[in-house]
Structures are given as structure tokens and as C-alpha cells.
């Protein structure tokens, strides 16, 4: 285990935690009672778990559920990918107030218009409805119309995502690629969107030339 | 305060907490020492704070920093929007290992290629580099190429985002729209991407007809 920690850079305490939580298979038992043999698959699984938890922000329970599907060859690939996709999102309870009903109509109209064929009530649909209802509550109709533009943009993104998955032949690697792509891709998409926003904002609202741009690295959001 | 709680549906304890943390201006003092007068602007600010904290997942410190810029008319609009954009993201420390150096080159090449004009080292640039370096570490080159597609997609998204901001005349409403659009828009974008992924995945890897799709609402990621 000390060796596994050295190779991967993951602290021994963290490895023990992942073992206890069932996120990492136990090492092969050796003749010495205090030793176990860890191989290439442990190194790889450890890198995957760590990226999902530390960079992706997934809960231990979500990672466990996803890995169970990854490791079960009987689960059809599309369903495994679905689990993978859903894991990034905690299920949102269905809410029945008028803003949610209106938001649900909007989202379902977008799904129908784009011809998306989906399972009956995907977790992501409810998440989208919840966000749209909150936007409506806070900004009235000011954010109307962005959902349609977003839907068009993510269709191209999803095609690229699935291209990366399709390019891989072997099933575990394929599912791993989908998982990392979905969870980390979300972060990448968000970061690039903020860069694009800064660019477009500077075009629309040019800062006065006499005011030097504060260095964003000095903008500490935790300052009082 | 009881009245404010009733109108907004926010518990009194939460209102008190926001007051203490400086996220909500104090009510106007009345002749009664145990009463304060809350107006329309309190109702509105409370809805804003709540959406940022509860739906957007922002920290109290981030919300405070953003609101300070929102409330300061001396801050040029572009800088306020920049703060707004950055608030959604905790600053990522700069890392100097080879994967990060390679990822930084990729991201800077994308920025140059798209002609994005940015401040020297935006927080979102570092976030993008960090995600890309992690992707590389976990999946080798399998996710190569998605960043370029994402960048193109988010440019259209950012134009739509700034359209909603430009359409509003009055400055506080404008900044509020940008803030909610950035923070909640990120969630909407992620949810719609997952729906699009499900659609594209079903096209690429059609589930066998004899296997009924499990209802996603039954996919509880916290199940053992």
C-alpha cells in the first residue's frame, strides 16, 4: 500500500478510506498477513476515483453507484452511460408550484423541438426545470430564451462527448472515458463559458480606459 | 421580519443569518425598538441571495463580495460583471507540473484562436487548465479535442448570456441578471448537456429492445 501511495501520490489514509468505502478493490492477498499486492488496475482505479471525488465533486455514494455499473458487464452500455450521466447530479424532488409547471412545459417543448428521445423522467430534466423555475422566480422574464440557445449549444457538445466515447473500443475504458468526460467536462464547459463571457462583456461594455483592469487573481472573493 | 419571512417563504432564522453576514441590508428602524421596516428591496435581495446560495451553491463569502460590487455604482459595469463571473468559481492555485503546462498551452491556444480578449490571468482560465490537466492524467489523450468544440459552443452561449444583460437598462437589475444568469445558467447548461448526452448515447449505443430502460427516478445514487 505504501508503494501504491508512492506511485499515485494519494496518501495512505485516503487509500484506506477508499478501500473501506468499496471504491477500490482489495489487493491480492500475499503470504505475509500485513501485505497485499496492488497492480496496474489499482493505480488506474485510484486515479479515476480521485478525479471524480476531488475534481468532479461527486459524493462517495455516487462514485460507488457508478463504479458498480462500470464493473458490471451485464448492464447495457447505454444504461451504464445513463448512470454515469446521472451520477453528476443529485436527484431533484419534483415540485408542483406554478413556476415549476411553466418551466416543465418550456423544457419539454425544447426536448420535443430538438427531437431528443429520452427515458421517461431523467434526473437532468428535473434539474433543468428546477433551475429554470428559480431563474423565473428571481429575474421574472429577463432570462427568457436562453434555454433554447443552451439546448442548441449542448447538442454539439454532446456529439463531441459521445465521439470520444465511441472512439474507444474496450468497454471499461469506454465507460471510464464517458464518466470523466461528463463530470470533468461540465467543469471545463463552465470555465470556458466564463472566459467567453468576459470576452463578450468587454466588447459590450468596454471598461473606461482610465480605469486599469484589476488583476483577477487579486479579486479574492473571501475578502471582507 | 415575520412579515418578510411570510412574503418570501424564507425562515426567520435564515433571514437573521443573512443579516448577520451582511448579505441583506438592515431594515429601517422604527419607533418600536423590536421592529424594523422591510421593503420591496429586501424581498428582492432576499430572493437573489437565496438563489445564489441554495441553487447556485455559492459560499457566503462569495455572495458578500459580489453584492459589494453590485451595490457600488463606482465600479465599472464590466468589472462588476467580471466579479460576478469569477464568484462562481473558487480560485485554483497555479500548478507547475508538466500536465498543467501542457494544458495551459492548449487553453491559451484556444483563447488566441478564438480571439478572446481577456484580463491577464482570469480565475476561469486556471480552472480550465486544471480540469484539462486532470482529464489528461486520468484518460491520457482520450478526451483530446473536446476543449475546442466546447469553446466554440460556449461562445454562442456567452453571446446569449450578454444579450439578456444588455436588454436590461437599470444597473442593479442588469448586474442581478448577469449574476443569476452566470450562476444558475451553469446549472441549466449542465442539465441540458446531460439530456443531450442521453439522446446521443441512445442513438450511438441503442439499448437492446428486450431490456426495458430502468426508470431514472429509481436510480438512487445513494443506494448501497
Amino acid at each position: 500500500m505504501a508503494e501504491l501511495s508512492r506511485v499515485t501520490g494519494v496518501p495512505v489514509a485516503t487509500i484506506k478510506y477508499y478501500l473501506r468505502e468499496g471504491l477500490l478493490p482489495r489487493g491480492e492477498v500475499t503470504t505475509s498477513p500485513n501485505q497485499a499486492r496492488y497492480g496496474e488496475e489499482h493505480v488506474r482505479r485510484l486515479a479515476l476515483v480521485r478525479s471524480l471525488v476531488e475534481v468532479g465533486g461527486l459524493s462517495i455514494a455516487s462514485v460507488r453507484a457508478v463504479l458498480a455499473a462500470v464493473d458490471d458487464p451485464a448492464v447495457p452500455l447505454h444504461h451504464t452511460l445513463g448512470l454515469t450521466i446521472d451520477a453528476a447530479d443529485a436527484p431533484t424532488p419534483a415540485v408542483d408550484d406554478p413556476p415549476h409547471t411553466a418551466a416543465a412545459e418550456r423544457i419539454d417543448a425544447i426536448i420535443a423541438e430538438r427531437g431528443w428521445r429520452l427515458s421517461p423522467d431523467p434526473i437532468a430534466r428535473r434539474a433543468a426545470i428546477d433551475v429554470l423555475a428559480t431563474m423565473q422566480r428571481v429575474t421574472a422574464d429577463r432570462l427568457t430564451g436562453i434555454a433554447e440557445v443552451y439546448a442548441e449549444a449542448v447538442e454539439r457538445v454532446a456529439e463531441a462527448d459521445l465521439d470520444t466515447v465511441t472512439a474507444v473500443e474496450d468497454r471499461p475504458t469506454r465507460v471510464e472515458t464517458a464518466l470523466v468526460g461528463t463530470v470533468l467536462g461540465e467543469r471545463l464547459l463552465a470555465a470556458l463559458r466564463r472566459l467567453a463571457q468576459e470576452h463578450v462583456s468587454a466588447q459590450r461594455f468596454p471598461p473606461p480606459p482610465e480605469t486599469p483592469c484589476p488583476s483577477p487573481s487579486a479579486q479574492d472573493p473571501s475578502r471582507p
Side-chain angles (χ1 to χ4, degrees), chain A:
Chain A
M1 191 181 290
E3 176 73 6
L4 182 62
S5 170
R6 198 187 55 73
V7 170
T8 58
V10 179
V12 168
T14 306
I15 296 177
K16 284 187 175 167
Y17 175 59
Y18 290 162
L19 281 168
R20 258 198 326 272
E21 293 288 338
L23 305 185
L24 193 67
R26 305 245 155 226
E28 204 186 311
V29 178
T30 61
T31 45
S32 159
N34 291 320
Q35 286 222 322
R37 193 168 290 136
Y38 296 96
E40 198 42 58
E41 93 251 47
H42 291 91
V43 173
R44 184 168 161 177
R45 178 52 58 98
L46 199 50
L48 176 62
V49 169
R50 196 185 175 200
S51 72
L52 296 177
V53 173
E54 292 180 18
V55 185
L58 257 64
S59 72
I60 297 293
S62 295
V63 174
R64 193 191 297 118
V66 170
L67 291 180
V70 168
D71 293 336
D72 184 353
V75 177
L77 187 62
H78 175 64
H79 296 168
T80 307
L81 296 180
L83 260 173
T84 301
I85 290 168
D86 281 340
D89 218 42
T92 314
V95 181
D96 233 7
D97 60 9
H100 279 80
T101 308
E105 276 171 22
R106 287 285 297 282
I107 294 293
D108 288 340
I110 288 172
I111 290 171
E113 194 197 319
R114 304 219 68 84
W116 289 351
R117 298 187 53 196
L118 306 172
S119 51
D121 183 19
I123 289 180
R125 172 180 168 271
R126 244 190 265 168
I129 291 168
D130 199 48
V131 174
L132 211 59
T134 306
M135 282 180 166
Q136 174 72 27
R137 182 164 56 79
V138 181
T139 73
D141 284 324
R142 294 200 296 283
L143 292 170
T144 295
I146 58 162
E148 283 77 6
V149 178
Y150 285 16
E152 193 177 336
V154 292
E155 209 172 273
R156 180 75 196 86
V157 164
E159 293 278 357
D161 288 332
L162 269 297
D163 284 348
T164 67
V165 174
T166 312
V168 179
E169 289 291 335
D170 118 271
R171 185 191 145 111
T173 311
R174 190 175 249 187
V175 175
E176 191 184 284
T177 306
L179 190 51
V180 174
T182 294
V183 176
L184 298 191
E186 188 168 312
R187 303 287 161 130
L188 183 61
L189 198 63
L192 291 172
R193 171 176 174 245
R194 288 197 290 278
L195 291 177
Q197 283 180 327
E198 184 184 327
H199 169 65
V200 178
S201 163
Q203 291 182 313
R204 304 272 182 106
F205 310 105
E210 68 273 27
T211 316
C213 268
S215 160
S217 52
Q219 290 170 359
D220 179 9
S222 66
R223 69 182 175 188

